[in-house]
Amino acid sequence: MAITEINFDGIIGPSHNYAGLSPGNIASANNAGAVSAPRAAALQGIEKMRANLRLGLAQGFFMPLDRPNKDWLDGLSTDMESAEPHIRAAAFSASAMWAANAATVSPAPDAADGRCHLSAANLLTMAHRSHECTGTHAQLQLAFADDRHFAVHPPVPAPYGDEGAANHMRLCAAHGEAGIEVFVYGKGGGPFPARQHIEASKAVARAHKLDPAKTLFIQQAEAAIAGGAFHNDVVAVANENVLFTHELAFEYRQQSYADIRALMPDVQIVEVPAERVTLADAVQSYLFNAQLVTLPQAQGMALIVPTEAEENEAVWTWLNEMVAGNGPIRRLVPVDVRQSMANGGGPACLRLRVVCDPAHVDPRFLADEAKLDAMAAVIAATWPESIAPDQLGDAALIRNVQEARAALLKVCGLEGAL
Ligand code: SUG
């Protein structure tokens, strides 16, 4: 089997809830205190994976992490019963579903040692995400255990914030060929934190043995962060030789484009002008938090967008004009991930792209229709139907969440492994 792009989706965990934990993430703030629907959420995620399989794409997944995180609570000398509400919510968060933040990935053709490198992200800017990296690192070590083909790195140390692939773009002629890697960091964000620090991006690039002559560090626009683009993947996405971006994504727009063109002369930059789609509409509709994928059999590229993009008139009009034109993006595929979207996580947030030979991955993390059926059955039978904010410390709910996860691990042959 040749090297290919596999999208690993984070399964939406049974503790999925709306606790308003991410300042700067507008959807998370707007939905704070709403009642969540973990079962429907996880089934939406499964359907997204199914749709990708049917497009002929390779699909993998990651298990939800064990929540509440008892080790983290132990470290804080507390537990779910006595913790303050914000600590309780942070310990219970299902935020590991957003696998684009699990790690940064550099495929083998880009690395000097010919291995695919993955660095677990420390996610240290947000308390509820800062304790994901232990479980995530362990899971990556298991899924990509074959060290002839993979190198899995631990998170970059504090105080340098790293949010993984959400702030990283790779451009190349084809997935299996060497490309250029673009790390997007933040400096200021008005009232909101810039979560990706340049020191972390540089550390990851060094760990991945990237060629400095083919690596760029570009600054995200402060106005984009202030406008709710807490990760670069809210305003830009790349695939092969195409960069699909909002006009206001980068602080130094022309210079950034020139730097990219200098390293990759045949890059196609598809820019959405702010006068057609405002930054606010881009953040609300998440048209850039799309999976930009290359379809098999030379069908060109498709943009897998959240249904919210279809409902925003300015966005949908622009997208339809785009696919009707002569550009590289030929098809729009809306998917319903509303439960995740209400916490600021679109189709692209839910997946980590790993370009590698699927034969080298632990097969327990690879999806096919039958496995998705089995997973959906477990989710339908065990995931809580709803979670209200005042339920987070509830002993019966905690038991339900733990048992549901255990049932999923079991059906995937991962019992006791994570
Ligand atoms: O880190 N939301 C996530 C959404 C992550 C989206 N990922 C990418 N853009 N790649 C975040 O802000 C909200 C949780 C809550 O409020 O309960 C949250 O963590």
Side-chain angles (χ1 to χ4, degrees), residues 16-25 27-29 31-32 89 93-101 123 126 128-129 132 163 165-167 195 230-234 286 289 340 342-346 348-351:
H16 159 65
N17 71 95
Y18 299 119
L21 298 175
S22 277
N25 170 340
S28 154
N31 292 299
S93 179
S95 53
M97 73 177 80
W98 297 299
N101 306 117
L123 293 167
M126 298 291 158
H128 68 292
R129 305 215 61 180
E132 280 175 39
E163 305 261 330
N167 298 312
R195 300 198 205 178
F230 54 95
H231 291 136
N232 176 62
D233 70 0
V234 174
Y286 262 40
N289 199 262
S340 168
N343 251 338
C349 298
L350 285 163
R351 62 90 176 95

mmCIF file of all heavy atoms in Angstrom, residues 16-25 27-29 31-32 89 93-101 123 126 128-129 132 163 165-167 195 230-234 286 289 340 342-346 348-351, ligand 1:
data_model
loop_
_atom_site.group_PDB
_atom_site.id
_atom_site.type_symbol
_atom_site.label_atom_id
_atom_site.label_comp_id
_atom_site.label_asym_id
_atom_site.label_seq_id
_atom_site.Cartn_x
_atom_site.Cartn_y
_atom_site.Cartn_z
ATOM 1 N N HIS A 16 -19.008 14.686 26.834
ATOM 2 C CA HIS A 16 -19.176 15.932 26.038
ATOM 3 C C HIS A 16 -20.205 16.871 26.676
ATOM 4 O O HIS A 16 -21.350 16.486 26.904
ATOM 5 C CB HIS A 16 -19.622 15.539 24.626
ATOM 6 C CG HIS A 16 -20.293 16.629 23.852
ATOM 7 N ND1 HIS A 16 -19.642 17.772 23.467
ATOM 8 C CD2 HIS A 16 -21.579 16.749 23.400
ATOM 9 C CE1 HIS A 16 -20.482 18.558 22.799
ATOM 10 N NE2 HIS A 16 -21.664 17.959 22.748
ATOM 11 N N ASN A 17 -19.765 18.090 26.959
ATOM 12 C CA ASN A 17 -20.692 19.051 27.594
ATOM 13 C C ASN A 17 -20.272 20.477 27.251
ATOM 14 O O ASN A 17 -19.212 20.694 26.647
ATOM 15 C CB ASN A 17 -20.730 18.833 29.109
ATOM 16 C CG ASN A 17 -19.451 19.281 29.782
ATOM 17 O OD1 ASN A 17 -19.358 20.406 30.279
ATOM 18 N ND2 ASN A 17 -18.430 18.428 29.783
ATOM 19 N N TYR A 18 -21.136 21.418 27.610
ATOM 20 C CA TYR A 18 -20.898 22.826 27.275
ATOM 21 C C TYR A 18 -20.607 23.626 28.531
ATOM 22 O O TYR A 18 -21.515 24.073 29.227
ATOM 23 C CB TYR A 18 -22.118 23.401 26.542
ATOM 24 C CG TYR A 18 -22.413 22.703 25.240
ATOM 25 C CD1 TYR A 18 -23.619 22.044 25.030
ATOM 26 C CD2 TYR A 18 -21.468 22.685 24.215
ATOM 27 C CE1 TYR A 18 -23.898 21.402 23.824
ATOM 28 C CE2 TYR A 18 -21.728 22.034 23.016
ATOM 29 C CZ TYR A 18 -22.935 21.395 22.828
ATOM 30 O OH TYR A 18 -23.191 20.748 21.642
ATOM 31 N N ALA A 19 -19.321 23.786 28.844
ATOM 32 C CA ALA A 19 -18.939 24.437 30.097
ATOM 33 C C ALA A 19 -18.325 25.821 29.886
ATOM 34 O O ALA A 19 -17.927 26.467 30.846
ATOM 35 C CB ALA A 19 -17.976 23.541 30.874
ATOM 36 N N GLY A 20 -18.260 26.275 28.629
ATOM 37 C CA GLY A 20 -17.733 27.625 28.372
ATOM 38 C C GLY A 20 -16.302 27.792 28.838
ATOM 39 O O GLY A 20 -15.939 28.789 29.448
ATOM 40 N N LEU A 21 -15.466 26.815 28.508
ATOM 41 C CA LEU A 21 -14.113 26.775 29.084
ATOM 42 C C LEU A 21 -13.044 27.479 28.253
ATOM 43 O O LEU A 21 -11.913 27.592 28.710
ATOM 44 C CB LEU A 21 -13.695 25.305 29.274
ATOM 45 C CG LEU A 21 -14.560 24.489 30.237
ATOM 46 C CD1 LEU A 21 -14.105 23.034 30.243
ATOM 47 C CD2 LEU A 21 -14.499 25.068 31.637
ATOM 48 N N SER A 22 -13.383 27.934 27.050
ATOM 49 C CA SER A 22 -12.345 28.424 26.132
ATOM 50 C C SER A 22 -12.531 29.884 25.767
ATOM 51 O O SER A 22 -13.112 30.197 24.721
ATOM 52 C CB SER A 22 -12.370 27.591 24.846
ATOM 53 O OG SER A 22 -11.655 26.417 24.992
ATOM 54 N N PRO A 23 -12.009 30.829 26.576
ATOM 55 C CA PRO A 23 -12.120 32.232 26.193
ATOM 56 C C PRO A 23 -11.461 32.465 24.828
ATOM 57 O O PRO A 23 -10.376 31.939 24.562
ATOM 58 C CB PRO A 23 -11.352 32.979 27.287
ATOM 59 C CG PRO A 23 -11.018 32.001 28.344
ATOM 60 C CD PRO A 23 -11.298 30.621 27.835
ATOM 61 N N GLY A 24 -12.151 33.205 23.971
ATOM 62 C CA GLY A 24 -11.627 33.437 22.622
ATOM 63 C C GLY A 24 -12.276 32.518 21.604
ATOM 64 O O GLY A 24 -12.158 32.744 20.410
ATOM 65 N N ASN A 25 -12.964 31.494 22.090
ATOM 66 C CA ASN A 25 -13.720 30.578 21.229
ATOM 67 C C ASN A 25 -15.189 30.984 21.391
ATOM 68 O O ASN A 25 -15.806 30.727 22.431
ATOM 69 C CB ASN A 25 -13.441 29.143 21.696
ATOM 70 C CG ASN A 25 -14.334 28.098 21.045
ATOM 71 O OD1 ASN A 25 -15.390 28.399 20.520
ATOM 72 N ND2 ASN A 25 -13.900 26.845 21.106
ATOM 73 N N ALA A 27 -18.103 30.197 19.973
ATOM 74 C CA ALA A 27 -19.173 29.201 20.123
ATOM 75 C C ALA A 27 -19.176 28.632 21.539
ATOM 76 O O ALA A 27 -20.240 28.466 22.158
ATOM 77 C CB ALA A 27 -18.991 28.079 19.102
ATOM 78 N N SER A 28 -17.996 28.340 22.078
ATOM 79 C CA SER A 28 -17.906 27.798 23.443
ATOM 80 C C SER A 28 -18.495 28.790 24.436
ATOM 81 O O SER A 28 -19.265 28.401 25.331
ATOM 82 C CB SER A 28 -16.437 27.481 23.769
ATOM 83 O OG SER A 28 -16.172 27.522 25.142
ATOM 84 N N ALA A 29 -18.180 30.073 24.261
ATOM 85 C CA ALA A 29 -18.713 31.091 25.188
ATOM 86 C C ALA A 29 -20.224 31.232 25.031
ATOM 87 O O ALA A 29 -20.964 31.285 26.023
ATOM 88 C CB ALA A 29 -18.023 32.434 24.932
ATOM 89 N N ASN A 31 -22.412 29.091 24.057
ATOM 90 C CA ASN A 31 -23.200 27.917 24.455
ATOM 91 C C ASN A 31 -22.934 27.455 25.883
ATOM 92 O O ASN A 31 -23.430 26.403 26.297
ATOM 93 C CB ASN A 31 -22.966 26.768 23.460
ATOM 94 C CG ASN A 31 -23.561 27.116 22.112
ATOM 95 O OD1 ASN A 31 -24.763 27.325 22.001
ATOM 96 N ND2 ASN A 31 -22.726 27.250 21.106
ATOM 97 N N ALA A 32 -22.152 28.248 26.606
ATOM 98 C CA ALA A 32 -21.850 27.880 27.998
ATOM 99 C C ALA A 32 -23.157 27.668 28.763
ATOM 100 O O ALA A 32 -24.056 28.509 28.708
ATOM 101 C CB ALA A 32 -21.043 28.991 28.661
ATOM 102 N N ALA A 89 -15.289 20.936 35.905
ATOM 103 C CA ALA A 89 -15.610 20.963 34.465
ATOM 104 C C ALA A 89 -14.355 20.667 33.637
ATOM 105 O O ALA A 89 -14.411 19.934 32.645
ATOM 106 C CB ALA A 89 -16.191 22.321 34.079
ATOM 107 N N SER A 93 -13.914 17.431 30.900
ATOM 108 C CA SER A 93 -14.084 17.832 29.503
ATOM 109 C C SER A 93 -13.744 16.707 28.516
ATOM 110 O O SER A 93 -12.773 15.968 28.687
ATOM 111 C CB SER A 93 -13.197 19.046 29.204
ATOM 112 O OG SER A 93 -13.340 19.414 27.850
ATOM 113 N N ALA A 94 -14.524 16.648 27.456
ATOM 114 C CA ALA A 94 -14.285 15.667 26.381
ATOM 115 C C ALA A 94 -13.458 16.285 25.257
ATOM 116 O O ALA A 94 -13.462 15.808 24.123
ATOM 117 C CB ALA A 94 -15.619 15.176 25.837
ATOM 118 N N SER A 95 -12.705 17.340 25.579
ATOM 119 C CA SER A 95 -12.046 18.140 24.540
ATOM 120 C C SER A 95 -11.030 17.379 23.684
ATOM 121 O O SER A 95 -10.653 17.873 22.613
ATOM 122 C CB SER A 95 -11.382 19.373 25.164
ATOM 123 O OG SER A 95 -10.536 19.001 26.230
ATOM 124 N N ALA A 96 -10.612 16.205 24.093
ATOM 125 C CA ALA A 96 -9.678 15.433 23.251
ATOM 126 C C ALA A 96 -10.330 15.000 21.932
ATOM 127 O O ALA A 96 -9.640 14.515 21.029
ATOM 128 C CB ALA A 96 -9.158 14.219 24.007
ATOM 129 N N MET A 97 -11.657 15.184 21.816
ATOM 130 C CA MET A 97 -12.316 14.879 20.526
ATOM 131 C C MET A 97 -11.695 15.675 19.375
ATOM 132 O O MET A 97 -11.722 15.242 18.239
ATOM 133 C CB MET A 97 -13.820 15.191 20.603
ATOM 134 C CG MET A 97 -14.136 16.670 20.614
ATOM 135 S SD MET A 97 -15.906 17.047 20.615
ATOM 136 C CE MET A 97 -16.325 16.812 22.333
ATOM 137 N N TRP A 98 -11.167 16.899 19.686
ATOM 138 C CA TRP A 98 -10.657 17.764 18.614
ATOM 139 C C TRP A 98 -9.223 17.354 18.295
ATOM 140 O O TRP A 98 -8.237 17.959 18.741
ATOM 141 C CB TRP A 98 -10.830 19.225 19.010
ATOM 142 C CG TRP A 98 -12.291 19.545 19.176
ATOM 143 C CD1 TRP A 98 -13.250 19.463 18.196
ATOM 144 C CD2 TRP A 98 -12.980 19.898 20.384
ATOM 145 N NE1 TRP A 98 -14.490 19.771 18.730
ATOM 146 C CE2 TRP A 98 -14.352 20.046 20.057
ATOM 147 C CE3 TRP A 98 -12.574 20.130 21.705
ATOM 148 C CZ2 TRP A 98 -15.310 20.394 21.011
ATOM 149 C CZ3 TRP A 98 -13.528 20.484 22.638
ATOM 150 C CH2 TRP A 98 -14.875 20.610 22.286
ATOM 151 N N ALA A 99 -9.135 16.300 17.509
ATOM 152 C CA ALA A 99 -7.849 15.637 17.252
ATOM 153 C C ALA A 99 -6.869 16.504 16.467
ATOM 154 O O ALA A 99 -5.665 16.222 16.471
ATOM 155 C CB ALA A 99 -8.082 14.321 16.512
ATOM 156 N N ALA A 100 -7.372 17.567 15.805
ATOM 157 C CA ALA A 100 -6.433 18.470 15.123
ATOM 158 C C ALA A 100 -5.489 19.110 16.129
ATOM 159 O O ALA A 100 -4.445 19.629 15.757
ATOM 160 C CB ALA A 100 -7.191 19.554 14.356
ATOM 161 N N ASN A 101 -5.860 19.075 17.399
ATOM 162 C CA ASN A 101 -5.002 19.619 18.451
ATOM 163 C C ASN A 101 -4.215 18.540 19.196
ATOM 164 O O ASN A 101 -3.544 18.833 20.189
ATOM 165 C CB ASN A 101 -5.839 20.401 19.475
ATOM 166 C CG ASN A 101 -6.695 21.470 18.829
ATOM 167 O OD1 ASN A 101 -7.914 21.405 18.895
ATOM 168 N ND2 ASN A 101 -6.071 22.422 18.172
ATOM 169 N N LEU A 123 -1.015 21.964 24.689
ATOM 170 C CA LEU A 123 -2.318 22.616 24.895
ATOM 171 C C LEU A 123 -2.398 23.380 26.220
ATOM 172 O O LEU A 123 -3.449 23.405 26.878
ATOM 173 C CB LEU A 123 -3.437 21.547 24.825
ATOM 174 C CG LEU A 123 -3.641 20.909 23.452
ATOM 175 C CD1 LEU A 123 -4.514 19.660 23.540
ATOM 176 C CD2 LEU A 123 -4.267 21.893 22.468
ATOM 177 N N MET A 126 -5.199 26.493 27.865
ATOM 178 C CA MET A 126 -6.517 26.283 28.480
ATOM 179 C C MET A 126 -6.416 25.145 29.500
ATOM 180 O O MET A 126 -5.997 24.038 29.149
ATOM 181 C CB MET A 126 -7.557 25.885 27.414
ATOM 182 C CG MET A 126 -7.775 26.935 26.352
ATOM 183 S SD MET A 126 -8.606 28.390 27.030
ATOM 184 C CE MET A 126 -8.129 29.616 25.818
ATOM 185 N N HIS A 128 -8.526 23.111 30.822
ATOM 186 C CA HIS A 128 -9.210 21.834 30.532
ATOM 187 C C HIS A 128 -8.504 21.036 29.449
ATOM 188 O O HIS A 128 -8.689 19.829 29.353
ATOM 189 C CB HIS A 128 -10.677 22.075 30.155
ATOM 190 C CG HIS A 128 -10.883 22.776 28.844
ATOM 191 N ND1 HIS A 128 -10.543 24.091 28.619
ATOM 192 C CD2 HIS A 128 -11.406 22.340 27.659
ATOM 193 C CE1 HIS A 128 -10.853 24.441 27.383
ATOM 194 N NE2 HIS A 128 -11.370 23.388 26.762
ATOM 195 N N ARG A 129 -7.677 21.716 28.617
ATOM 196 C CA ARG A 129 -6.975 21.008 27.550
ATOM 197 C C ARG A 129 -5.547 20.639 27.957
ATOM 198 O O ARG A 129 -4.932 19.772 27.348
ATOM 199 C CB ARG A 129 -6.991 21.840 26.259
ATOM 200 C CG ARG A 129 -8.424 22.242 25.835
ATOM 201 C CD ARG A 129 -8.607 22.276 24.358
ATOM 202 N NE ARG A 129 -8.379 20.977 23.746
ATOM 203 C CZ ARG A 129 -8.479 20.728 22.452
ATOM 204 N NH1 ARG A 129 -8.791 21.705 21.635
ATOM 205 N NH2 ARG A 129 -8.250 19.524 21.954
ATOM 206 N N GLU A 132 -4.720 16.991 28.579
ATOM 207 C CA GLU A 132 -4.967 15.973 27.537
ATOM 208 C C GLU A 132 -3.692 15.259 27.121
ATOM 209 O O GLU A 132 -3.725 14.105 26.692
ATOM 210 C CB GLU A 132 -5.522 16.636 26.258
ATOM 211 C CG GLU A 132 -6.977 16.972 26.275
ATOM 212 C CD GLU A 132 -7.380 17.730 25.010
ATOM 213 O OE1 GLU A 132 -6.893 17.403 23.919
ATOM 214 O OE2 GLU A 132 -8.181 18.668 25.139
ATOM 215 N N GLU A 163 -0.534 23.999 20.062
ATOM 216 C CA GLU A 163 -1.894 23.483 19.864
ATOM 217 C C GLU A 163 -1.957 22.539 18.668
ATOM 218 O O GLU A 163 -3.029 22.262 18.128
ATOM 219 C CB GLU A 163 -2.884 24.636 19.742
ATOM 220 C CG GLU A 163 -2.836 25.603 20.931
ATOM 221 C CD GLU A 163 -3.927 25.375 21.997
ATOM 222 O OE1 GLU A 163 -5.011 24.913 21.644
ATOM 223 O OE2 GLU A 163 -3.660 25.683 23.185
ATOM 224 N N ALA A 165 -1.656 20.411 15.107
ATOM 225 C CA ALA A 165 -1.861 20.548 13.663
ATOM 226 C C ALA A 165 -2.823 21.672 13.289
ATOM 227 O O ALA A 165 -2.846 22.089 12.126
ATOM 228 C CB ALA A 165 -2.373 19.225 13.096
ATOM 229 N N ALA A 166 -3.600 22.162 14.228
ATOM 230 C CA ALA A 166 -4.531 23.264 13.944
ATOM 231 C C ALA A 166 -3.783 24.528 13.521
ATOM 232 O O ALA A 166 -4.360 25.416 12.905
ATOM 233 C CB ALA A 166 -5.386 23.561 15.163
ATOM 234 N N ASN A 167 -2.493 24.588 13.863
ATOM 235 C CA ASN A 167 -1.676 25.751 13.498
ATOM 236 C C ASN A 167 -0.507 25.357 12.596
ATOM 237 O O ASN A 167 0.588 25.916 12.699
ATOM 238 C CB ASN A 167 -1.170 26.455 14.753
ATOM 239 C CG ASN A 167 -2.322 26.985 15.582
ATOM 240 O OD1 ASN A 167 -3.218 27.627 15.050
ATOM 241 N ND2 ASN A 167 -2.331 26.683 16.872
ATOM 242 N N ARG A 195 -2.665 31.211 21.385
ATOM 243 C CA ARG A 195 -2.368 29.909 21.996
ATOM 244 C C ARG A 195 -1.119 29.229 21.448
ATOM 245 O O ARG A 195 -0.565 28.342 22.078
ATOM 246 C CB ARG A 195 -3.552 28.956 21.783
ATOM 247 C CG ARG A 195 -4.871 29.424 22.382
ATOM 248 C CD ARG A 195 -5.763 28.199 22.474
ATOM 249 N NE ARG A 195 -7.174 28.497 22.465
ATOM 250 C CZ ARG A 195 -8.109 27.556 22.508
ATOM 251 N NH1 ARG A 195 -7.773 26.270 22.511
ATOM 252 N NH2 ARG A 195 -9.377 27.871 22.513
ATOM 253 N N PHE A 230 -9.338 31.298 17.171
ATOM 254 C CA PHE A 230 -8.398 30.917 18.244
ATOM 255 C C PHE A 230 -7.357 29.917 17.759
ATOM 256 O O PHE A 230 -6.359 29.686 18.441
ATOM 257 C CB PHE A 230 -9.173 30.377 19.454
ATOM 258 C CG PHE A 230 -10.107 29.258 19.120
ATOM 259 C CD1 PHE A 230 -9.708 27.943 19.263
ATOM 260 C CD2 PHE A 230 -11.372 29.519 18.625
ATOM 261 C CE1 PHE A 230 -10.556 26.902 18.925
ATOM 262 C CE2 PHE A 230 -12.227 28.488 18.271
ATOM 263 C CZ PHE A 230 -11.819 27.177 18.425
ATOM 264 N N HIS A 231 -7.598 29.294 16.612
ATOM 265 C CA HIS A 231 -6.606 28.466 15.925
ATOM 266 C C HIS A 231 -6.583 28.906 14.470
ATOM 267 O O HIS A 231 -7.622 29.313 13.923
ATOM 268 C CB HIS A 231 -6.977 26.971 15.966
ATOM 269 C CG HIS A 231 -6.878 26.342 17.319
ATOM 270 N ND1 HIS A 231 -7.850 25.485 17.812
ATOM 271 C CD2 HIS A 231 -5.939 26.424 18.288
ATOM 272 C CE1 HIS A 231 -7.502 25.075 19.014
ATOM 273 N NE2 HIS A 231 -6.351 25.628 19.343
ATOM 274 N N ASN A 232 -5.448 28.758 13.812
ATOM 275 C CA ASN A 232 -5.366 29.142 12.404
ATOM 276 C C ASN A 232 -6.345 28.347 11.536
ATOM 277 O O ASN A 232 -6.827 28.849 10.525
ATOM 278 C CB ASN A 232 -3.929 28.958 11.903
ATOM 279 C CG ASN A 232 -3.808 29.250 10.418
ATOM 280 O OD1 ASN A 232 -4.061 30.358 9.979
ATOM 281 N ND2 ASN A 232 -3.467 28.220 9.637
ATOM 282 N N ASP A 233 -6.664 27.120 11.930
ATOM 283 C CA ASP A 233 -7.544 26.323 11.063
ATOM 284 C C ASP A 233 -8.996 26.807 11.079
ATOM 285 O O ASP A 233 -9.853 26.224 10.426
ATOM 286 C CB ASP A 233 -7.436 24.815 11.370
ATOM 287 C CG ASP A 233 -8.025 24.404 12.708
ATOM 288 O OD1 ASP A 233 -8.539 25.261 13.445
ATOM 289 O OD2 ASP A 233 -7.974 23.194 13.022
ATOM 290 N N VAL A 234 -9.266 27.895 11.808
ATOM 291 C CA VAL A 234 -10.591 28.518 11.724
ATOM 292 C C VAL A 234 -10.642 29.467 10.510
ATOM 293 O O VAL A 234 -11.717 29.814 10.027
ATOM 294 C CB VAL A 234 -10.921 29.245 13.054
ATOM 295 C CG1 VAL A 234 -12.224 30.022 12.970
ATOM 296 C CG2 VAL A 234 -10.978 28.245 14.219
ATOM 297 N N TYR A 286 -17.630 28.599 9.939
ATOM 298 C CA TYR A 286 -16.519 27.643 9.913
ATOM 299 C C TYR A 286 -16.246 27.071 8.521
ATOM 300 O O TYR A 286 -15.885 25.903 8.374
ATOM 301 C CB TYR A 286 -16.772 26.510 10.910
ATOM 302 C CG TYR A 286 -16.054 26.695 12.238
ATOM 303 C CD1 TYR A 286 -15.965 27.935 12.840
ATOM 304 C CD2 TYR A 286 -15.459 25.610 12.885
ATOM 305 C CE1 TYR A 286 -15.317 28.104 14.062
ATOM 306 C CE2 TYR A 286 -14.800 25.768 14.113
ATOM 307 C CZ TYR A 286 -14.740 27.012 14.682
ATOM 308 O OH TYR A 286 -14.083 27.177 15.867
ATOM 309 N N ASN A 289 -12.865 25.717 8.457
ATOM 310 C CA ASN A 289 -12.602 24.555 9.312
ATOM 311 C C ASN A 289 -13.177 23.323 8.623
ATOM 312 O O ASN A 289 -13.940 22.535 9.170
ATOM 313 C CB ASN A 289 -13.177 24.752 10.711
ATOM 314 C CG ASN A 289 -12.507 23.804 11.689
ATOM 315 O OD1 ASN A 289 -13.032 22.747 12.013
ATOM 316 N ND2 ASN A 289 -11.303 24.144 12.099
ATOM 317 N N SER A 340 -20.518 19.294 18.114
ATOM 318 C CA SER A 340 -19.125 19.731 18.248
ATOM 319 C C SER A 340 -18.991 21.206 17.867
ATOM 320 O O SER A 340 -18.286 21.975 18.537
ATOM 321 C CB SER A 340 -18.240 18.859 17.350
ATOM 322 O OG SER A 340 -16.951 19.406 17.228
ATOM 323 N N ALA A 342 -20.988 23.531 18.334
ATOM 324 C CA ALA A 342 -21.457 24.407 19.416
ATOM 325 C C ALA A 342 -20.374 24.625 20.475
ATOM 326 O O ALA A 342 -20.526 25.460 21.360
ATOM 327 C CB ALA A 342 -22.728 23.828 20.037
ATOM 328 N N ASN A 343 -19.296 23.900 20.384
ATOM 329 C CA ASN A 343 -18.134 24.137 21.250
ATOM 330 C C ASN A 343 -16.949 24.644 20.420
ATOM 331 O O ASN A 343 -15.805 24.620 20.865
ATOM 332 C CB ASN A 343 -17.729 22.856 21.983
ATOM 333 C CG ASN A 343 -18.043 22.924 23.472
ATOM 334 O OD1 ASN A 343 -18.169 24.017 24.030
ATOM 335 N ND2 ASN A 343 -18.153 21.774 24.106
ATOM 336 N N GLY A 344 -17.215 25.055 19.177
ATOM 337 C CA GLY A 344 -16.162 25.621 18.335
ATOM 338 C C GLY A 344 -15.320 24.594 17.612
ATOM 339 O O GLY A 344 -14.188 24.872 17.222
ATOM 340 N N GLY A 345 -15.859 23.402 17.399
ATOM 341 C CA GLY A 345 -15.096 22.344 16.725
ATOM 342 C C GLY A 345 -15.772 21.887 15.450
ATOM 343 O O GLY A 345 -16.784 21.190 15.484
ATOM 344 N N GLY A 346 -15.229 22.255 14.303
ATOM 345 C CA GLY A 346 -15.804 21.856 13.017
ATOM 346 C C GLY A 346 -15.217 20.556 12.500
ATOM 347 O O GLY A 346 -14.466 19.875 13.211
ATOM 348 N N ALA A 348 -12.792 19.921 10.503
ATOM 349 C CA ALA A 348 -11.323 19.840 10.514
ATOM 350 C C ALA A 348 -10.764 19.717 11.926
ATOM 351 O O ALA A 348 -9.730 19.084 12.136
ATOM 352 C CB ALA A 348 -10.727 21.055 9.816
ATOM 353 N N CYS A 349 -11.447 20.316 12.905
ATOM 354 C CA CYS A 349 -10.978 20.184 14.298
ATOM 355 C C CYS A 349 -11.036 18.743 14.764
ATOM 356 O O CYS A 349 -10.231 18.312 15.588
ATOM 357 C CB CYS A 349 -11.862 20.981 15.257
ATOM 358 S SG CYS A 349 -11.895 22.738 14.971
ATOM 359 N N LEU A 350 -12.008 18.025 14.232
ATOM 360 C CA LEU A 350 -12.245 16.662 14.738
ATOM 361 C C LEU A 350 -11.270 15.632 14.173
ATOM 362 O O LEU A 350 -11.324 14.470 14.562
ATOM 363 C CB LEU A 350 -13.689 16.235 14.406
ATOM 364 C CG LEU A 350 -14.792 16.878 15.265
ATOM 365 C CD1 LEU A 350 -16.166 16.715 14.603
ATOM 366 C CD2 LEU A 350 -14.825 16.269 16.671
ATOM 367 N N ARG A 351 -10.376 16.063 13.285
ATOM 368 C CA ARG A 351 -9.487 15.060 12.687
ATOM 369 C C ARG A 351 -8.007 15.465 12.723
ATOM 370 O O ARG A 351 -7.663 16.627 12.643
ATOM 371 C CB ARG A 351 -9.900 14.757 11.243
ATOM 372 C CG ARG A 351 -9.826 15.954 10.283
ATOM 373 C CD ARG A 351 -8.505 16.107 9.585
ATOM 374 N NE ARG A 351 -8.465 17.170 8.612
ATOM 375 C CZ ARG A 351 -8.031 18.398 8.851
ATOM 376 N NH1 ARG A 351 -7.617 18.734 10.058
ATOM 377 N NH2 ARG A 351 -8.007 19.320 7.892
HETATM 378 O O1 SUG B 1 -9.856 24.289 22.163
HETATM 379 N N1 SUG B 1 -13.343 23.884 22.428
HETATM 380 C C1 SUG B 1 -12.105 23.616 21.717
HETATM 381 C C2 SUG B 1 -12.348 23.595 20.237
HETATM 382 C C3 SUG B 1 -11.132 23.145 19.479
HETATM 383 C C4 SUG B 1 -11.248 23.329 18.009
HETATM 384 N N2 SUG B 1 -10.108 22.832 17.351
HETATM 385 C C5 SUG B 1 -9.554 23.373 16.242
HETATM 386 N N3 SUG B 1 -9.856 24.583 15.845
HETATM 387 N N4 SUG B 1 -8.671 22.685 15.615
HETATM 388 C C6 SUG B 1 -11.038 24.646 22.079
HETATM 389 O O2 SUG B 1 -11.390 25.821 22.285
HETATM 390 C C7 SUG B 1 -14.723 24.086 24.430
HETATM 391 C C8 SUG B 1 -15.017 23.239 25.674
HETATM 392 C C9 SUG B 1 -16.067 23.830 26.553
HETATM 393 O O3 SUG B 1 -16.230 25.070 26.542
HETATM 394 O O4 SUG B 1 -16.728 23.064 27.285
HETATM 395 C C10 SUG B 1 -13.415 23.707 23.766
HETATM 396 O O5 SUG B 1 -12.491 23.275 24.412
#
